[in-house]
Amino acid sequence: TSPGQQLRALFYVLPPGESSFRTAEEVPNYVEKSIPFFIAFIGLEFAVSWIQKRELAGRINDGISSLSLGILSRLPDVLFRSIDLISYIYIWNNYRLFELPWDSPWTWYLTLLGVDFAYYCFHRMSHEVNILWAAHQVHHSSEDYNLFTALRQSVLQKYTSWIFNLPMALFIPPSVFAVHLQFNLLYQFWIHTEVITNLGPLEWILNTPSHHRVHHGKNPYCIDKNYGGTLIIWDRIFGTFEAEDAKVVYGLTHPVNSFDPIMLQLRPLACIWNTFWATPGFCNKLSVIFKGPGWGPGKPRLGLPEEIPVITGKEVPFNPSVPAYLNCYAVVHFAVIVDFYTELLGSVTTLSQGTILLRIGFIILSLTSFGLLMENRPKAGTLEFLRCLVFLVVYRLGYLRSQFASLSYAYEVRYLFLSVFAEDLEKARNTKHFYF
């Protein structure tokens, strides 16, 4: 696909004639090819926000956390083929009732509606079923609302969302489905912003930044509203629509207060586990899993609206104070991890399973270390020291590789210096000579 086509794909305006394919293997990886546009639009959002408000559109710690969760959510795809397509193609090959023509505009538009309606159903269930919410709430855990937030995704969500698409496999070709599955996801990137206020008549049909801001709010009027992906018509039809009104305060009603990507992914499941065993009665235990996250014995399925915390407008986002140099350190080293991650995506077919697992392990270790540094947690410097030593070993042995050969020596020298630097930071912290 050309850059122009890729840009139009981001806004779901690539028509049937340019995005219809005979087989699923021919469908481009629109999401992967959109990465340069993600970066460009994030930069543009920061520029526009500065012009409009004289402030940046986000924070370094929250931005790194969102990007870390985005990378973490994509790592299983390095090892396994997408479960969405595997399951869809299986049903298509074995159980389809009839076959719509892959090159018909009518098939293309029907699939647009089908994929979006399936997303609405799944998205709504993800807010109304506790075990699904445990995965989906990762996306809502940011207390900022910007394009970084769009990339904050759950590792586990994809392992339940595929079920909702299977009815389409009875008659819609996999190649058409594969296109719209990506377009629906890409469209939802640009609506995560505050710099776009209102889109006029389009607000009646499309999911817009204004509608989606409501969805991410923890104000009582925002809870469980505006589930649409590309279209807002489903919310209007099924009574879950709410227009933006009072200033939206973002995040979870009970904030997680962490930038550790592993903890953000797993703590909700631990909460369900503990509540499950603490709740008396077998039926009540099942309700802990399958009713709403606000449910408790004697309460309605979705909980009591009056128990939603009141929004005062004075809420302060979780924002531990760290020195400016530590923010710079985290940004530079996160960029290095993005380099390694991108190189892994490009060379995965040529690598052994052991090398792939080693690279994934180092990426996860790095993202966790950055999260703890941003929280100013005890022993964060020790973990970073160990991470630097691990890098020196695996990079020297050739298990890690940069996209840019010219940076290899620079990486080794930098990590050798910083392994000492990180150890000194932890010693200084422990003796309280200075703040870290």
Side-chain angles (χ1 to χ4, degrees), residues 195-206:
V195 301
I196 299 173
T197 54
N198 190 283
L199 295 179
L202 295 178
E203 302 278 343
W204 284 94
I205 302 171
L206 298 177

Side-chain angles (χ1 to χ4, degrees), residues 58-63 65 141-144 152 218 249-252 254-260 263-264 267 314-322 370-377 435:
R59 296 168 292 150
I60 289 175
N61 47 23
D62 189 82
S65 176
S141 59
S142 174
E143 295 177 284
D144 292 346
R152 178 181 285 249
K218 59 182 177 181
V249 178
Y250 304 107
L252 301 170
H254 299 88
V256 180
N257 292 340
S258 177
F259 300 122
D260 177 358
M263 199 280 285
L264 285 166
R267 195 174 83 165
K314 298 179 181 179
E315 287 75 15
V316 178
F318 177 64
N319 194 30
S321 177
V322 297
F370 300 155
L372 298 184
L373 286 173
M374 293 293 91
E375 292 180 30
N376 199 22
R377 290 272 291 276
Y435 182 70

Side-chain angles (χ1 to χ4, degrees), residues 19-71:
S19 54
S20 296
F21 304 90
R22 183 181 297 276
T23 65
E25 288 72 24
E26 297 176 59
V27 177
N29 190 330
Y30 290 103
V31 174
E32 186 177 314
K33 292 176 184 294
S34 292
I35 292 176
F37 289 103
F38 293 162
I39 297 170
F41 277 110
I42 287 171
L44 180 61
E45 180 187 37
F46 270 70
V48 173
S49 179
W50 182 258
I51 293 170
Q52 289 178 342
K53 308 176 185 177
R54 287 294 184 269
E55 63 181 37
L56 296 178
R59 296 168 292 150
I60 289 175
N61 47 23
D62 189 82
I64 288 179
S65 176
S66 292
L67 293 174
S68 296
L69 288 163
I71 290 175

Side-chain angles (χ1 to χ4, degrees), residues 336 339-340 343 391-392 395-396 398 400-416:
V336 173
D339 174 23
F340 292 149
E343 201 281 333
F391 168 83
L392 288 171
Y395 196 80
R396 193 65 179 171
L400 276 176
R401 191 176 303 154
S402 168
Q403 297 180 89
F404 312 103
S406 58
L407 292 179
S408 297
Y409 181 69
Y411 279 173
E412 290 188 51
V413 172
R414 173 180 288 276
Y415 270 88
L416 180 61

Side-chain angles (χ1 to χ4, degrees), residues 6-13 31 34 38 41-42 45 112-124 126-127 136 139-140 145-153 157 161 165 179-194 196 206-213 215-216 225-232 234-235:
Q6 193 61 50
L7 178 61
R8 286 183 286 131
L10 199 61
F11 295 94
Y12 221 134
V13 289
V31 174
S34 292
F38 293 162
F41 277 110
I42 287 171
E45 180 187 37
L112 184 159
L113 292 174
V115 167
D116 201 57
F117 180 64
Y119 178 81
Y120 171 86
C121 295
F122 165 70
H123 196 184
R124 183 168 179 174
S126 294
H127 282 252
H136 182 63
H139 181 61
H140 286 262
Y145 189 76
N146 50 42
L147 294 178
F148 284 128
T149 309
L151 305 177
R152 178 181 285 249
Q153 299 294 330
Q157 183 171 292
S161 61
N165 294 312
V179 167
H180 288 277
L181 186 66
Q182 294 187 76
F183 284 2
N184 191 276
L185 176 64
L186 288 173
Y187 179 90
Q188 295 178 58
F189 169 74
W190 71 274
I191 60 177
H192 289 82
T193 185
E194 291 188 295
I196 299 173
L206 298 177
N207 191 16
T208 64
S210 176
H211 298 330
H212 206 58
R213 284 194 289 270
H215 179 71
H216 273 259
K225 300 296 182 182
N226 299 359
Y227 296 114
T230 300
L231 304 172
I232 203 66
W234 315 116
D235 290 285

